[in-house]
Every structure is written in structure tokens, then in C-alpha cells.
Amino acid sequence: MARIIVVTSGKGGVGKTTSSAAIGLGLALKGHKVVLIDFDIGLRNLDLIMGCERRVVYDFVNVINGEATLNQALIKDKRVSSLSILPASQTRDKDALNKENVGKVLDDLGKLYDFIICDSPAGIEAGAMMALYYADEAIVTTNPEVSSVRDSDRILGMLASRSRRAELGLEPIKEHLLLTRYCPKRVAEGEMLSVEDVEDILSIPLLGVIPESQSVLKASNAGEPVILDTDSDAGQAYQDVIDRLLGETIEFRFLLAEKKGIFSRMFGG
Amino acid sequence: MALLDYFLRKKEKQVTTASRAKERLQIIVAHERNSRNKQPDYLPQLTADILVVLRKYIKVSDESFSIKLDNKDGDLNVLELNIELHDEQGSS
């Protein structure tokens, strides 16, 4: 049985697509069969972050309308053969998706893959609801910032009430907190919510903390998910996320600002 | 002086913008959670009773039936029933 994981957030621009791309590629690099689905109908971007934008021929909506088979629409990643991308449609409107036809596609994909990663659009409209409806697990991507935390809490409410698991009274969606764009230095200065603050407010288990990093922009510029940048702190933090998703216990890194020595703190410097 | 600053800074932590953010969030999030979790105790029993009545007349499977009590903008409650009727079963 494939694990269906939705990457969601409520708020836009917090790093859902960046995280989906990094996590999808990271899991595939570990030898798992992974498919990444872009649910952002009309505003497709996962293809760009994955660097396969020029290879899109058919999309999710074509598959749903029977205009293309899954095999025709799936784009095989050039770096890792066990990873495929199902791009969103750029032109159709988002009403094209409904529970029945999305369920059918996920069913078919579930027979072929170990992980189905659903990259959710922002907001709480139909598109976001479709992305989370069939999920077994949710990665709630959050920035340490008031509006993002509040929106994440709304999404947690949706996961608990609007998902298939909620409607059928099954075991609830397993929730994971992924804190992105974290600046330990600003946290130390009292200018940014800390990991503990956000955990306190949302009270869901922490999956990862991705530090604010210049490598993320460089990665999206190049269409190479940041997890491939193994020298960067963000890349390493995503690698830890992969290990945790696969059941390992990994200590959290990049939580503290580089410490000044005790002497320079006490005597100026 | 730096030594003095070091100890003073600890006290200032009470009023950092981050701690204000946390406080504000805790209040608003608790408030919003309260308003969305207000499913009345009678809802499960009501659901069961409605199903019993419906099944006297028509065939309704668990999947084709859903009930939801929605709170719209705080002061309007909507009880939403969704029953899918299948053609061949509707007339029995």
C-alpha cells in the first residue's frame, strides 16, 4: 500500500512546492518508488522546481478527462528513475477535479508507487481540499510567522474534518510539522517564533526544521531540488526529514545560531 | 558594561516581539478551535435516528449519506444532509 502524503499549509509562499520536490526526490534517492502530483491546477510550478517544465506534454486533468493515459502524462525524473511527476494543468479550471476521479487516479498510482506526494495549492478552496482528501499523512509546512501559523492551524482543522479518513471515521491523518525558513539568529534575538513556540501552538509532532538558506533560491533557479545540494544546511535538513519519514530517529540540527564564546558575550565583542 | 548588558538582556526577553506573537497566536488559535469544534453531543444520535427513518422508505448505504453541522461566520448554523438516491432503489 502506497503512503499518500499531502504537503499543505493554508498560506501561500511558505515552501510547499520546494518541500514536495525535495522530499519526493529524497525518498526516490533512497530507492523508493515515488510519484509527485501537482494539485495546483492553473498555477503549475512543481515542474519548474523539478526542472522538467519542458517535458510536460499531458497533465493531471488530461488523465482525469481520459485524454491521456497515466503513462503518457507521468514524467520520469532524469536524475532518479524511480521518481515520476504528474504535472498540474495550466489552463483548465480547478473544478475538473472531484473526489471520484482523483480517487481513481490515486488508486491506479498506488499500485505502481510506494509514495504518492501531493503538492497542495495554497488556500482552503476545492483544490486544496482535493489534495488532502485521500491523504494518509500530512506535512504541514509552516513559517515561524503569525499568519502562517494561524493558517496551518486552520488546515489542521480541515485535515481532521474534511478528509476521507475523517468522513469514514478511520484512523486520523498522521500530521507532521515542517518548519521552514527558520532563522536561529533571529529566534535568539527574540524576533522570531521558536520551534518550541510553534510546536506549543500547533501541538503536532515535528518532522523537520529547514533553516532560511540561500541555497533554496539557487536550487529553484536551476530546477534542481535543494536536497541535491548536500553541502547546504537546507539540503541536509531535508535529508534528515527523509530519514525521519522512513522511521529513523534523527537529532534536529540547525536550531541554534552560531554561538559566540562565553567570553566574548560577557566582555563584549 | 557588556557584562551588565548580558544580564539585562535576559529580563528583556519578556517583551520581545516573538513572545508577543506567541501570546496573540495562542489566543486567536484557541478561539478559532473552539468555534470549529462545536459539534453538539446529539449529532451522532441524530444521524442514527435520521438513517433509521430514511431506511423505512428508501435504500441508503452508509457511503451515500453524510451529515454535517456547519457554523457559518459565527452566528449561522447550517445542518447539511446529503443523501444520494439511486434510481432503481428510489421507488421501493
Side-chain angles (χ1 to χ4, degrees):
Chain A
M1 268 283 275
R3 278 166 78 177
I4 304 180
I5 305 179
V6 60
V7 180
T8 184
S9 71
K11 190 176 181 298
V14 297
K16 283 182 296 297
T17 303
T18 300
S19 299
S20 301
I23 291 168
L25 189 62
L27 287 168
L29 284 168
K30 288 269 184 178
H32 297 280
K33 286 180 276 177
V34 182
V35 59
L36 276 166
I37 309 179
D38 190 347
F39 271 82
D40 205 344
I41 308 297
L43 291 167
R44 135 172 117 211
N45 273 319
L46 184 64
D47 55 334
L48 212 46
I49 301 299
M50 293 300 296
C52 64
E53 69 278 6
R54 297 189 58 186
R55 296 167 59 210
V56 177
V57 182
Y58 294 109
D59 58 54
F60 197 3
V61 175
N62 290 138
V63 174
I64 274 174
N65 292 341
E67 296 153 358
T69 63
L70 257 180
N71 262 332
Q72 289 175 303
L74 287 170
I75 303 170
K76 232 182 183 75
D77 191 88
K78 287 226 161 128
R79 295 154 292 220
V80 197
S81 62
S82 62
L83 175 66
S84 298
I85 296 112
L86 183 57
S89 163
Q90 191 64 310
T91 50
R92 319 294 184 96
D93 78 322
K94 44 189 96 188
D95 299 330
L97 304 186
N98 63 43
K99 281 178 196 172
E100 285 71 35
N101 58 32
V102 171
K104 167 94 180 51
V105 171
L106 291 181
D107 246 18
D108 293 344
L109 288 171
K111 291 171 198 145
L112 305 168
Y113 293 93
D114 307 321
F115 286 91
I116 301 175
I117 312 283
C118 305
D119 181 21
S120 172
I124 50 172
E125 302 303 313
M129 290 303 114
M130 275 302 110
L132 68 79
Y133 187 73
Y134 289 99
D136 302 310
E137 297 173 53
I139 297 178
V140 180
T141 314
T142 308
N143 290 167
E145 177 268 324
V146 284
S147 45
S148 174
V149 175
R150 182 198 210 172
D151 291 357
S152 289
D153 191 67
R154 289 253 12 228
I155 282 293
L156 289 173
M158 301 290 176
L159 291 170
S161 64
R162 298 289 174 89
S163 61
R164 185 186 74 100
R165 284 173 171 271
E167 283 181 5
L168 299 182
L170 302 173
E171 193 186 323
I173 292 178
K174 189 171 174 194
E175 301 153 340
H176 306 279
L177 173 62
L178 180 65
L179 203 57
T180 52
R181 310 199 67 165
Y182 194 67
C183 294
K185 187 166 171 285
R186 303 197 71 185
V187 173
E189 284 161 1
E191 290 178 7
M192 182 181 269
L193 291 164
S194 68
V195 180
E196 295 78 16
D197 291 340
V198 181
E199 279 184 289
D200 263 9
I201 296 160
L202 296 178
S203 43
I204 58 172
L206 186 64
L207 176 68
V209 180
I210 312 298
E212 171 82 64
S213 169
Q214 305 198 338
S215 56
V216 173
L217 181 59
K218 285 196 260 175
S220 59
N221 286 342
E224 299 278 349
V226 69
I227 198 161
L228 292 170
D229 187 352
T230 48
D231 293 332
S232 73
D233 45 2
Q236 292 169 16
Y238 275 116
Q239 191 55 57
D240 291 354
V241 166
I242 299 302
D243 293 337
R244 289 189 197 105
L245 276 176
L246 296 174
E248 286 179 52
T249 309
I250 308 278
E251 210 180 318
F252 289 92
R253 297 193 269 175
F254 315 113
L255 300 187
L256 298 173
E258 268 176 45
K259 274 197 183 131
K260 285 204 233 166
I262 181 131
F263 285 104
S264 61
R265 282 216 314 231
M266 289 175 73
F267 300 108
Chain B
M1 274 306 107
L3 187 65
L4 196 61
D5 284 346
Y6 176 68
F7 287 109
L8 282 178
R9 215 177 319 164
K10 290 246 149 170
K11 280 202 173 150
E12 281 169 21
K13 277 219 162 139
Q14 312 293 325
V15 288
T16 58
T17 55
S19 57
R20 285 199 59 201
K22 184 181 185 187
E23 215 181 289
R24 291 171 59 219
L25 272 169
Q26 278 173 323
I27 293 167
I28 190 68
V29 162
H31 178 79
E32 287 174 350
R33 273 184 201 163
N34 266 333
S35 54
R36 76 171 176 243
N37 290 338
K38 258 193 222 142
Q39 291 288 29
D41 310 337
Y42 61 72
L43 201 64
Q45 190 56 51
L46 176 68
T47 309
D49 288 353
I50 290 176
L51 267 174
V52 169
V53 175
L54 282 171
R55 282 176 180 157
K56 274 191 189 168
Y57 305 94
I58 46 177
K59 237 180 174 175
V60 186
S61 64
D62 283 352
E63 296 87 65
S64 56
F65 176 83
S66 73
I67 185 166
K68 214 164 34 188
L69 191 66
D70 255 344
N71 188 284
K72 308 249 185 223
D73 308 324
D75 51 16
L76 178 67
N77 285 321
V78 178
L79 182 68
E80 192 183 301
L81 270 180
N82 257 309
I83 309 152
E84 258 175 56
L85 295 178
H86 302 283
D87 283 346
E88 68 280 7
Q89 298 162 346
S91 56
S92 64

